């Protein structure tokens, strides 16, 4: 019997060596995984130990700029490296919050700092050949923004995830979202959505439309690449993506999506300023830094000035219009510069790029727009603005510069291809920066001007324009320009004369004078601005007509010492006034601000007031750090000028605006409560108008002073005057400032004044014993400084 055969081994059973290899491989894999997990755990433990404390987010202290504001809250300027308007989460509109979450972190309210679904989606997309996308949540972006660099390394990503987890454990979702929406950089130096709304749209976040909110929500991905000022088309494409996400996540309806998609967006020009008060902003900045130190640039201090936004806007617009109107009466001086352009026939896109590049180093202006000439002929000029817009100028738009377009125009004057010129809209809206009307060639003016307006009782400044353009010339003419006030000084001399027995009914001879001077016994023969002498005039008529010879005779009558002493009551320093008869013609020195303070004495009834420009300063939490003291009471013990003197002097100034050199004031404004005086110095080097509106009972009178002249003193023109240059600016400003202000009752005469013979006089002169005539017996030269014969 044979032994049975041994059983055969299974066909596919692994042999001992294969099993060993499998076990080895599995063990290696598990060991590697465990080792990797252990290594990751060690790394996490080490990195957690290195993580910074969360104080920067738990006690958020945003770097907020120093802000300068008007009294009614309009922003004038910000100073600091970051432009930010901090808003607590309850002040950020839900629409803005939802727009950001729709595109940046849809599951923000559900995840714990890391969106694992988003991570998985990004990995799958990359593994299947797609582009690597970030899957950072809002919380991770907060961690990166506050604690980490922008470098993409595994260590940074791990730290970012750990910080996000810690932040989620420590803060509520709304706190995290508030951090993100106030800290994120959004281009154009804007940090946070509050600042971005102002910079890109010129409005608060609460006023944004769906389309505008979507535009801002698209900025965090790449603010430098896709912000609407740098590249509108890129920003627009990003906005459309945000709108789709808002629709798909239910933030907006399909109908709202369609409407927002079709809504045209008006992006605020970088040239535009909310309120032009740059000279005031600089004054306030310097004052605050001197008081609190340079740390104010990041502490969020808010400086509230006394300016009123509407008053300031009117002052700036009217001053600019007045200076430009004067400049239009001067010859065209030629292009500002000349740049090389590609030859004619160059493709349009290439020419546009070259033109834009050529203008890059030149400064644009919101009213006097910068342009480069692409083609020029006597009939038409084709030019390109710095913004890229091309325009054709013809007809009236070329009239002023016609000589520069002539075939044989001299080289420095000629407008030709490559010339850098200024253009502006030719209509009434142009002065306010509006975009209507045809274009015309213009030029940057050479003359300067200043306007200051203040409340006569409190000294609070309502408007302050220190020059035509702060960026071009930052010298503040309101308080630093010491110029001859000319005839605008005469009312203070007339006020002095009232105390010496000269009354409005006094007759003074307006006749030629020959007075001694430095070059000989009769070297000074002052003339009247109208070129004629009208003979005997009442004091009231003489001031209304601004008669120089009458003012000199008046000063001779009362004497230099009495006049010099009296004008100090109005704040004029004696060392800045001449010690001779030229004092009568305003040959001393004053600034627009000092002159406004002097007229305020007349406007408020006889008291000197100090100007106030800063009302209060608060910190980022609203705590008051400084507040201007309340206006001092106007009590008799502090009076500078008697009430009856002020009353009669003001009646003379009212006559100036009714029938005299400033008659356009009452005629154009249609109100009789206006007082003031024009001023024009020799050869029209300085042009002035100083005046005020009386103010309703219980309210301060409004004083405003306008000056125009060249920084390098020279004539403004043979036929120019304060009435022709400064007065129209004053009227334009007052039209806005007095809109809706009722005309107050006629002033009640104070004690010590009565009306006799058709005019006002002091009670003690009711018997007619006041000075009745001055200079009526003049014959030949009068000795300088000696009172002429006069009858009482």
């Amino acid at each position: 019997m044979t032994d049975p055969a041994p059983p055969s081994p299974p066909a596919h059973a692994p042999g001992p060596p294969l099993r060993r290899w499998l076990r080895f491989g599995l063990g290696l894999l598990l060991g590697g995984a465990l080792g990797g997990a252990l290594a990751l755990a060690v790394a996490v433990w080490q990195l957690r130990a290195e993580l910074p404390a969360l104080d920067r987010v738990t006690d958020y202290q945003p770097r907020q700029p120093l802000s300068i504001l008007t009294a009614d809250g309009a922003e004038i300027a910000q100073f600091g490296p970051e432009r930010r308007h901090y808003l607590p989460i309850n002040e950020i509109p839900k629409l803005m919050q939802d727009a950001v979450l729709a595109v940046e972190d849809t599951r923000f309210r559900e995840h714990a700092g890391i969106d694992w679904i988003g991570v998985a989606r990004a990995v799958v997309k990359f593994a299947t050949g797609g582009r690597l996308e970030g899957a950072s949540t809002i919380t991770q972006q907060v961690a990166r923004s506050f604690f980490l660099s922008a470098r993409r390394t595994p260590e940074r990503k791990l730290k970012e995830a750990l910080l996000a987890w810690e932040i989620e454990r420590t803060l509520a979702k709304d706190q995290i979202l508030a951090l993100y929406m106030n800290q994120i950089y959004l281009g154009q130096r804007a940090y946070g959505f509050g600042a971005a709304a102002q910079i890109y749209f010129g409005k608060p976040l609460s006023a944004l439309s769906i389309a505008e909110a979507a535009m801002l929500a698209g900025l965090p991905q790449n603010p430098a690449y896709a912000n609407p000022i740098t590249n509108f088309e890129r920003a627009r494409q990003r906005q459309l993506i945000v709108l789709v996400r808002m629709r798909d996540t239910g933030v907006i309806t399909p109908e709202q999506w369609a409407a927002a998609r079709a809504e045209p967006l008006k992006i605020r020009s970088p040239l535009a300023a909310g309120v032009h008060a740059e000279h005031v902003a600089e004054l306030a900045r310097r004052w605050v830094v001197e008081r609190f130190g340079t740390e104010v640039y990041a502490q969020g201090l808010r400086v509230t000035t006394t300016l009123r936004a509407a008053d300031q806007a009117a002052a700036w617009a009217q001053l600019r219009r007045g200076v430009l109107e004067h400049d239009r009466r001067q010859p065209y001086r030629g292009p500002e510069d000349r740049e090389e352009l590609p030859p004619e026939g160059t493709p349009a896109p290439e020419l546009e790029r070259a033109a834009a590049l050529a203008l890059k180093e030149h400064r644009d202006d919101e009213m006097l727009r910068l342009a480069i000439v692409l083609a020029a002929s006597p009939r038409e000029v084709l030019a390109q603005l710095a913004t890229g817009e091309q325009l054709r100028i013809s007809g009236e738009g070329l009239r002023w510069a016609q000589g520069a377009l002539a075939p044989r125009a001299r080289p420095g004057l000629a407008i030709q291809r490559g010339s850098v010129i200024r253009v502006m809209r030719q209509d009434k809206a142009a002065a306010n920066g509006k975009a209507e009307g045809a274009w015309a060639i213009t030029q940057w003016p050479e003359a300067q001007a200043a306007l200051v307006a203040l409340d006569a009782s409190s000294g609070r400044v309502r408007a302050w324009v220190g020059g035509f353009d702060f960026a071009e010339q930052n010298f503040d003419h309101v308080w630093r320009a010491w110029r001859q006030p000319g005839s605008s000084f005469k009312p203070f001399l007339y006020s002095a004369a009232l105390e010496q027995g000269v009354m409005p009914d006094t007759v003074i001879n307006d006749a030629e004078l020959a007075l001694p001077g430095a070059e000989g016994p009769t070297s000074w023969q002052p003339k009247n601005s109208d070129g004629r002498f009208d003979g005997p005039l009442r004091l009231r008529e003489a001031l209304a007509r601004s008669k120089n010879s009458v003012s000199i005779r008046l000063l001779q009558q009362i004497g230099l010492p009495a006049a010099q002493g009296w004008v100090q009551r109005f704040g004029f320093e004696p060392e800045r006034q001449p010690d001779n008869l030229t004092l009568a013609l305003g040959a001393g020195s004053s600034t627009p601000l000092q002159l406004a303070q002097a007229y305020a004495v007349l406007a408020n009834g006889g008291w000197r007031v100090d100007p106030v420009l800063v009302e209060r300063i608060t910190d980022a939490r609203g705590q008051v750090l400084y507040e201007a003291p309340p206006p001092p009471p106007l009590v008799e013990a502090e009076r500078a000028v008697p009430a009856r003197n002020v009353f009669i002097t003001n009646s003379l100034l009212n006559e100036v605006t009714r029938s005299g050199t400033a008659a356009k004031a009452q005629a154009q404004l249609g109100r009789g409560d206006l007082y003031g005086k024009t001023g024009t110095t020799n050869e029209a080097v300085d042009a002035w108008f100083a005046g005020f509106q009386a103010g309703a009972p219980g309210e301060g009178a409004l004083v405003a002073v306008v000056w125009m002249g060249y920084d390098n003193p020279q004539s403004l023109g043979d036929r120019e005057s304060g009435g022709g240059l400064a007065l129209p600016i004053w009227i334009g400003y007052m039209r806005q400032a007095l809109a809706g202000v009722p005309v107050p009752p006629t002033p009640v005469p104070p004690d010590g004044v009565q009306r006799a013979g058709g005019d006002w006089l002091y009670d003690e002169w009711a018997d007619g014993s006041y000075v009745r005539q001055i200079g009526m017996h003049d014959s030949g030269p009068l000795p300088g400084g000696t009172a002429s014969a006069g009858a009482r």
Side-chain angles (χ1 to χ4, degrees), residues 100-121 134-143 160-174 176-177 180 245:
V100 169
L101 295 180
V103 72
E104 289 292 324
D105 193 352
T106 309
R107 284 174 289 278
F108 172 73
R109 300 288 179 182
E110 287 77 45
H111 64 64
I114 300 173
D115 183 5
W116 295 109
I117 296 174
V119 172
R121 185 180 65 246
S136 294
T137 62
I138 292 284
T139 315
Q140 286 175 280
Q141 293 184 57
V142 168
E160 182 182 291
L162 292 172
L163 282 167
W165 184 69
E166 291 288 348
I167 290 170
E168 289 275 352
R169 289 178 56 221
T170 307
L171 301 178
K173 287 288 186 180
D174 276 353
I176 297 170
L177 186 58
Y180 176 82
R245 293 292 300 148

Side-chain angles (χ1 to χ4, degrees), residues 50-188:
E50 297 174 7
L51 292 180
L54 298 184
D55 295 353
R56 292 183 64 191
V57 293
T58 56
D59 183 24
Y60 181 43
Q61 301 291 332
R63 288 172 60 86
Q64 299 184 68
L66 171 65
S67 298
I68 315 295
L69 311 169
T70 64
D72 39 352
E75 184 177 281
I76 297 172
Q78 286 190 356
F79 296 98
E82 299 177 3
R83 300 161 78 175
R84 180 181 280 109
H85 293 277
Y86 175 78
L87 295 171
I89 194 67
N90 63 337
E91 293 182 20
I92 300 175
K94 189 173 185 301
L95 171 68
M96 192 71 249
Q97 296 181 41
D98 290 345
V100 169
L101 295 180
V103 72
E104 289 292 324
D105 193 352
T106 309
R107 284 174 289 278
F108 172 73
R109 300 288 179 182
E110 287 77 45
H111 64 64
I114 300 173
D115 183 5
W116 295 109
I117 296 174
V119 172
R121 185 180 65 246
V123 170
V124 169
K125 186 171 183 179
F126 178 66
T128 56
R131 186 171 63 87
L132 180 62
E133 292 183 349
S136 294
T137 62
I138 292 284
T139 315
Q140 286 175 280
Q141 293 184 57
V142 168
R144 184 191 316 147
S145 177
F146 280 89
F147 301 108
L148 303 171
S149 71
R151 293 179 58 198
R152 292 191 175 189
T153 64
E155 179 183 342
R156 193 216 73 182
K157 291 298 291 182
L158 188 54
K159 282 185 176 180
E160 182 182 291
L162 292 172
L163 282 167
W165 184 69
E166 291 288 348
I167 290 170
E168 289 275 352
R169 289 178 56 221
T170 307
L171 301 178
K173 287 288 186 180
D174 276 353
Q175 290 176 297
I176 297 170
L177 186 58
L179 289 170
Y180 176 82
M181 299 195 74
N182 281 289
Q183 184 71 13
I184 192 74
Y185 178 62
L186 298 172
Q188 301 295 313

Side-chain angles (χ1 to χ4, degrees), residues 193-205:
F193 287 87
Q198 289 288 348
I199 289 168
Y200 293 117
F201 296 110
K203 60 179 74 172
L205 208 55

Side-chain angles (χ1 to χ4, degrees), residues 421-506:
I421 61 173
R422 296 281 172 176
V423 297
M424 70 178 292
R425 300 274 188 183
Q426 286 301 286
D427 68 317
K428 293 181 179 179
N432 295 318
K434 297 182 180 178
E436 296 87 3
W439 290 95
I441 293 176
T442 186
Q443 63 187 356
W444 200 269
E446 293 183 337
Q448 284 289 344
L451 184 154
V452 62
L454 53 82
D455 183 299
S457 296
S458 68
R460 264 59 179 175
V461 176
R462 290 177 52 170
W464 178 306
V465 185
F468 183 81
D469 185 83
F470 180 82
E472 188 77 12
Q473 164 61 284
N474 61 18
F475 183 82
D476 194 336
H477 299 83
V478 165
W479 69 281
R480 296 178 63 192
W482 291 94
R483 308 291 291 233
Q484 289 189 3
S487 296
S488 64
F489 182 81
K490 289 177 181 176
F492 309 106
L493 176 64
Y494 280 57
S495 170
L498 295 177
E499 299 304 301
Q500 302 296 320
V502 178
M503 293 289 110
D505 200 40
T506 298

Side-chain angles (χ1 to χ4, degrees), residues 208-267:
L208 296 187
S209 67
I210 292 173
E212 291 166 337
M215 176 66 81
L216 295 190
L219 294 177
Q221 186 185 72
N222 194 332
Y225 174 84
N227 80 69
I229 289 177
T230 302
N231 193 313
F232 180 80
E233 285 307 317
R234 291 170 179 170
R236 167 68 171 165
Q237 292 307 310
R238 182 66 180 159
Q239 179 219 24
L240 295 177
I241 293 172
V242 175
L243 286 172
V244 169
R245 293 292 300 148
M246 292 173 73
R247 181 198 62 192
D248 292 349
T249 56
V251 174
I252 58 175
T253 66
E255 292 75 21
Q256 289 174 315
W257 168 79
R261 196 175 188 278
E263 180 183 323
L265 292 177
K266 186 175 182 181
I267 305 302

